[in-house]
Amino acid sequence: TCDFLNRCLGNDQDSYTHSRAGGIRRYFSPDLYGDARVGADFIQAFDDTDYVRPVIQVSLTDELNEVTTFQVAFRKRYSTTGFAQDLFNQWRLSATLGHQFSERLNGALAAFYGEGEYLTSNREDALTGASLSLIYDITRNMKGTLGYYFTDVDSTSITQDYTKNMVSAGISVEF
């Protein structure tokens, strides 16, 4: 896979991350499989310093029935953030229950826990959260999404503790 992320904080302070990864899938039974992805993030930080950092993701997925899946995943990576000019060295463990309600409507309930450290400030954060999302296939190439996301951050810097509730709606087009 190949992904690109650009973050703009204003005042000419931009960063980007170009991710490249490859992976394998191993079936343990017709309904149970594991995925492993390994790669690198090529990061140009806000101060124009270039970094190459590893990306590791492993997951185990069980197709419980024809319309319901359960997945446990672990991810380790470095990332930029939208609110600090720093790199965040993080890991995250998540569990997701997905369900196909109809031919065009899918939903997911997820929960996660993770920890990380900001490299410049030496601040450490512990993150917990959950989400609920619905995805509707409007057309073959267009999807509508509706989601609720909850995140709680416990930081070694007491001024950085926060709880966030977010509702989102969107339309995506694939081409």
Side-chain angles (χ1 to χ4, degrees), residues 14 68 83 127 157:
D14 298 352
T68 306
F83 52 86
L127 302 93
S157 173

Side-chain angles (χ1 to χ4, degrees), residues 17 41 43 51-56 74-81 83-92 113-127:
T17 303
D41 282 338
I43 302 168
Y51 298 95
V52 178
R53 294 292 186 258
V55 176
I56 301 166
F74 174 82
R75 183 179 69 193
K76 170 81 173 90
R77 79 177 323 159
Y78 290 75
S79 62
T80 59
T81 67
F83 52 86
Q85 295 181 29
D86 207 340
L87 280 182
F88 189 50
N89 177 10
Q90 65 174 313
W91 65 267
R92 180 178 291 200
Y113 176 80
E115 294 180 358
E117 178 182 8
Y118 290 89
L119 299 184
T120 304
S121 64
N122 293 320
R123 183 179 101 209
E124 295 179 16
D125 288 353
L127 302 93

Side-chain angles (χ1 to χ4, degrees), residues 6-75:
N6 187 39
R7 291 197 190 268
C8 302
L9 293 183
N11 298 329
D12 252 355
Q13 298 176 354
D14 298 352
S15 74
Y16 73 81
T17 303
H18 186 182
S19 302
R20 294 194 175 231
I24 60 170
R25 175 171 286 178
R26 167 86 163 112
Y27 280 87
F28 304 107
S29 74
D31 299 329
L32 180 67
Y33 56 90
D35 290 306
R37 301 186 74 70
V38 177
D41 282 338
F42 301 88
I43 302 168
Q44 183 180 54
F46 294 100
D47 64 359
D48 291 331
T49 303
D50 291 323
Y51 298 95
V52 178
R53 294 292 186 258
V55 176
I56 301 166
Q57 183 170 328
V58 293
S59 64
L60 184 64
T61 303
D62 189 359
E63 296 176 351
L64 301 173
N65 56 44
E66 292 180 3
V67 295
T68 306
T69 60
F70 179 73
Q71 182 182 74
V72 176
F74 174 82
R75 183 179 69 193

Side-chain angles (χ1 to χ4, degrees), residues 49-175:
T49 303
D50 291 323
Y51 298 95
V52 178
R53 294 292 186 258
V55 176
I56 301 166
Q57 183 170 328
V58 293
S59 64
L60 184 64
T61 303
D62 189 359
E63 296 176 351
L64 301 173
N65 56 44
E66 292 180 3
V67 295
T68 306
T69 60
F70 179 73
Q71 182 182 74
V72 176
F74 174 82
R75 183 179 69 193
K76 170 81 173 90
R77 79 177 323 159
Y78 290 75
S79 62
T80 59
T81 67
F83 52 86
Q85 295 181 29
D86 207 340
L87 280 182
F88 189 50
N89 177 10
Q90 65 174 313
W91 65 267
R92 180 178 291 200
L93 182 63
S94 63
T96 304
L97 181 65
H99 187 75
Q100 185 173 353
F101 295 103
S102 69
E103 186 177 327
R104 298 173 87 173
L105 181 63
N106 293 288
L109 176 63
F112 71 87
Y113 176 80
E115 294 180 358
E117 178 182 8
Y118 290 89
L119 299 184
T120 304
S121 64
N122 293 320
R123 183 179 101 209
E124 295 179 16
D125 288 353
L127 302 93
T128 55
S131 66
L132 176 63
S133 59
L134 294 171
I135 301 168
Y136 184 75
D137 295 337
I138 299 167
T139 67
R140 193 172 73 124
N141 298 344
M142 187 182 300
K143 297 177 190 280
T145 60
L146 182 62
Y148 167 74
Y149 307 90
F150 168 81
T151 305
D152 185 67
V153 175
D154 183 21
S155 180
T156 55
S157 173
I158 197 157
T159 61
Q160 300 300 318
D161 289 351
Y162 67 89
T163 298
K164 177 170 67 171
N165 290 283
M166 183 176 79
V167 175
S168 71
I171 295 178
S172 62
V173 178
E174 298 175 358
F175 51 92

